[in-house]
Amino acid sequence: MAKARKHKEKFKNFNLVVFGGTGDLAYRKIYPALYQRFIDNQLNCNYNIISVSRKAGYELKFQEKLTSFLTKSIKKSKTNSADLKKFISNIHLITAEESSLEGYGDLKAFLNQFKGYQDIFYFSTPSSAFGEISQALKDSGLTNESSKVVLEKPLGHSLESSNAINDQITKTFKESQIYRIDHYLGKETVQNLMVLRFANNLFERAWNSENIDNIQITVAESLGVEKRAGYYDQSGALLDMVQNHLLQLVCLVAMEPPYALEANEVRNEKLKILRSLRPFNKQSIKTESIKGQYTRGNIEDIKVNSYLEDIEKYESKTETFVALKAYIDNWRWKNVPFYIRTGKRMKKRYSEIVINFKEVKHNLFPSKERMNNNKLIIRLQPEERIELIQMTKIPGPGGYRYKPIALKLDYVDSFDERFPEAYERLIIDVIRGNQTLFMSQDELVAAWTWIESITNSWKSTGAKNILYEAGSWGPGDHILDNKESWVTKSWNKK
Ligand code: BG6
């Protein structure tokens, strides 16, 4: 196990105020991420974590839940009760009705004791409350030029609602103060996409439509909707996963090299990709998109319910699977399909990007077998690794016989370091003031604009969900009848 590091970078003292501070996300992700950074000696300044909750008289329960989540989230060998106690002593619970000014008195009194600290407001509530909270913070005199605000997804449910939220928030905060979280950008393997592409001359030269046949991005989940039925049924796979996580992956795979690793340079390159995505229309939506919903099935021999049973409704048109054949209309990617897929209750959980290279121009060898097997497989999670599939001669007599073999880089074997959780990196970046891994408003608008070309085209063509069994790989060829089989085409089903 790697030891706690010495961190040279010294942070400015801070107050982190978490709205929705007794919500699931805060317990599961935000506090454990901070705890891990604390154990690793990175929180080397004075700080307070303030959990804002609407529930009065909740102190005891809060302490209990916090202790239990923190203990669970950190490997046993690293949990030491003195550390845990010290960390928890910096977390304060304040009761406040988030949307009315009244509750903000206690918060103000608390923050006033720590003048000169940077104040970070983390909105981990439904986004419909963001406008009211930021206005109430402003009216209470709690914000200034150096305050920051962190916004959890989903930011609205359409371009219009997302813009409306932004209009409300920007009455209080400037774009340079806003951190829009997409936790995929905090994943180690997702950050490695930049290193893989821009620190290796080898790949960048082949990274274009001359050499690449297609790119496949898959985020398969075996989980269902868990306890989020209300939210999920309003969103579906397209808004929950594609609008943010998958599009960010597309950007990192497809963008031009930024001239520097600065936030605006990186974000502008991503923005160009989002703006070059070819919008869907009534024709293309029929042949280049599929949506599905899971029925009952088995996952690892355990019977699981259908989506409708999970959300306790008789009817719902919400999709739990989506597959798209997308194009980026620019010079580098002309006519290279990007196959994007995601689904809940799939056979296994894995996220992967596959770069499928074109066939060699001329086959010298006697074998009739096609030679289009060069692939770069980037496994984002779990069992993180990179594989380069190359044709290799089978040893022995019998002429040139060959088969695809993988050159493998396994993260676990190559590094001793633990993989920090995405939230650790992202929260630290907020503290240090680095917006590179956060979405800009322009990116959000471009992403919504493209997503709406899909939702509008689905609506106008009356597109229906194709049912798939939980524990399968989603709507397959047999269900799709004679439709073009791109949904399952060369999909690396694990
Ligand atoms: C969230 C979605 O943003 O990402 C969830 O709302 C999804 O529905 C989750 O399960 C997937 O994240 P990860 O890190 O488990 O791949």
Side-chain angles (χ1 to χ4, degrees), residues 379-420:
R379 172 59 88 95
L380 303 174
Q381 63 185 27
E383 294 143 23
E384 295 79 359
R385 62 174 180 272
I386 293 175
E387 287 175 62
L388 182 61
I389 311 288
Q390 44 161 3
M391 299 306 281
T392 307
K393 182 180 178 301
I394 301 168
Y400 281 102
R401 292 171 300 125
Y402 46 79
K403 67 173 188 181
I405 302 279
L407 261 177
K408 230 182 195 181
L409 181 153
D410 219 308
Y411 269 86
V412 182
D413 296 344
S414 309
F415 298 101
D416 281 343
E417 286 87 350
R418 72 174 260 280
F419 272 34

Side-chain angles (χ1 to χ4, degrees), residues 12 25 30 43 91 93 105 118 140 197 291 353 440 490:
K12 194 171 174 217
L25 185 88
I30 303 175
L43 299 186
I91 307 188
L93 182 70
Q118 62 162 323
S140 313
R197 287 195 54 200
K291 54 182 188 144
I353 299 172
S440 68
S490 50

